[in-house]
Amino acid sequence: DGGITQSPKYLFRKEGQNVTLSCEQNLNHDAMYWYRQDPGQGLRLIYYSQIVNDFQKGDIAEGYSVSREKKESFPLTVTSAQKNPTAFYLCATWDRSNEKLFFGSGTQLSVL
Amino acid sequence: EDKVVQSPLSLVVHEGDTVTLNCSYEVTNFRSLLWYKQEKKAPTFLFMLTSSGIEKKSGRLSSILDKKELFSILNITATQTGDSAIYLCAGYNNAGNMLTFGGGTRLMVKP
């Protein structure tokens, strides 16, 4: 089945710890995105990548880092510099042919 | 900086009511306006609008875009409890290949 796989579904972070959220896609889409969603809120763009080995900061990139070494993979690292990381994180890909954004099932990150 | 604003923030209605959700946008190199429904986790696609004045329909849901006034509406008729969700709209910037989302409208439909 084609789709976007995010893992883990739930993640707990200790103070001062870096954690990495995984996002893998087999849709062969070039562009990939990371969004953050706080309870009852909309989506805010963290980072996006239009092509392998290239990525740009979104509106709230501080405290986060990404890499795009393979077309299929776009991992997000939440660093210790992100002081309020508790949120729901969504990975997405852009289907250029049909002009739609496809989403993974998300990762809920909480701070211990 | 691109900006998308949704209203109202939240809405409580009873089954059978009709609701209208609003989305205004300021998006450079605007290409399209997308609507999504989010019930639990991943948002699901509803509509993509590119042309002014052409209504898109899917069952009880419909949407229309006004590119002159820079807004879109999503209508839901004869609401059901299953329509309870957060509704998100997003503007697509064709030059930057990125979507900017609004803050969402939380709809609750009571029996």
Side-chain angles (χ1 to χ4, degrees), chain A residues 34 41 61 76 88 101 108 112:
Chain A
W34 275 105
Q41 305 293 313
L76 174 74
F88 186 58
L101 197 65
Q108 176 63 51
L112 291 175

Side-chain angles (χ1 to χ4, degrees), chain A residues 33-53:
Chain A
Y33 306 80
W34 275 105
Y35 289 93
R36 169 179 171 143
Q37 187 176 33
D38 291 284
Q41 305 293 313
L43 307 184
R44 292 186 290 167
L45 183 65
I46 306 172
Y47 268 99
Y48 64 107
S49 168
Q50 298 193 47
I51 199 166
V52 175
N53 292 321

